[in-house]
Amino acid sequence: MVVAVDSSTLIAFIQGEQGGDVDTFDAALGGNIVLPPVVLTEILSDPKLPEQHREMLLAFPLLEPKLDYWQRAAATRSLILARKLRARLADTLIAQACIDHDVALITRDKDFRHFARHCGLKLA
């Protein structure tokens, strides 16, 4: 099963933290992980990111945006905001990439539960 991973889990993994999400990520390291492009950008933006982690991230395939991705992401975010729930832009873009590719997301960020409940995001 292919899964995507969120920045929150990657940061926890890099920092040696523990949790169910880190365990799931670690178990999937055999080659079944993809990255939403926003996650890659977030993590690579850290000027203190060790080179070994940079290389690991660059080895993962990306979930490339599909046709009309930006319009669907706007509609998804609008739906969540209309319910007066939190929908950060980066989270919306990550969720939409996963929804479009029908890939579950590994995350420790609780804000993604809104996308799962109302928009069809699968959480691993």
Side-chain angles (χ1 to χ4, degrees):
M1 177 173 115
V2 175
V3 293
V5 63
D6 178 43
S7 307
S8 61
T9 297
L10 281 171
I11 291 167
F13 176 82
I14 289 168
Q15 293 177 345
E17 296 178 22
Q18 295 183 1
D21 62 321
V22 173
D23 293 341
T24 302
F25 172 71
D26 195 37
L29 274 174
N32 297 318
I33 296 173
V34 293
L35 291 181
V38 172
V39 170
L40 182 65
T41 302
E42 286 179 328
I43 302 299
L44 290 182
S45 297
D46 180 355
K48 295 180 183 175
L49 183 69
E51 186 60 31
Q52 69 187 32
H53 293 121
R54 179 181 175 74
E55 290 173 12
M56 175 188 71
L57 293 171
L58 292 172
F60 293 130
L62 292 179
L63 290 176
E64 296 295 343
K66 292 188 174 188
L67 185 64
D68 297 329
Y69 163 81
W70 300 104
Q71 293 88 334
R72 282 191 306 284
T76 295
R77 188 167 190 237
S78 178
L79 188 140
I80 298 297
L81 292 174
R83 295 177 183 275
K84 303 206 184 305
L85 299 171
R86 186 177 192 145
R88 287 185 257 168
L89 183 56
D91 290 351
T92 301
L93 298 175
I94 292 165
Q96 191 64 54
C98 293
I99 293 166
D100 285 355
H101 288 274
D102 195 29
V103 172
L105 179 66
I106 303 169
T107 185
R108 62 176 45 198
D109 184 342
K110 302 283 187 229
D111 290 341
F112 283 102
R113 71 185 182 279
H114 304 312
F115 297 99
R117 185 174 301 127
H118 302 291
C119 303
L121 174 66
K122 296 176 186 172
L123 298 175

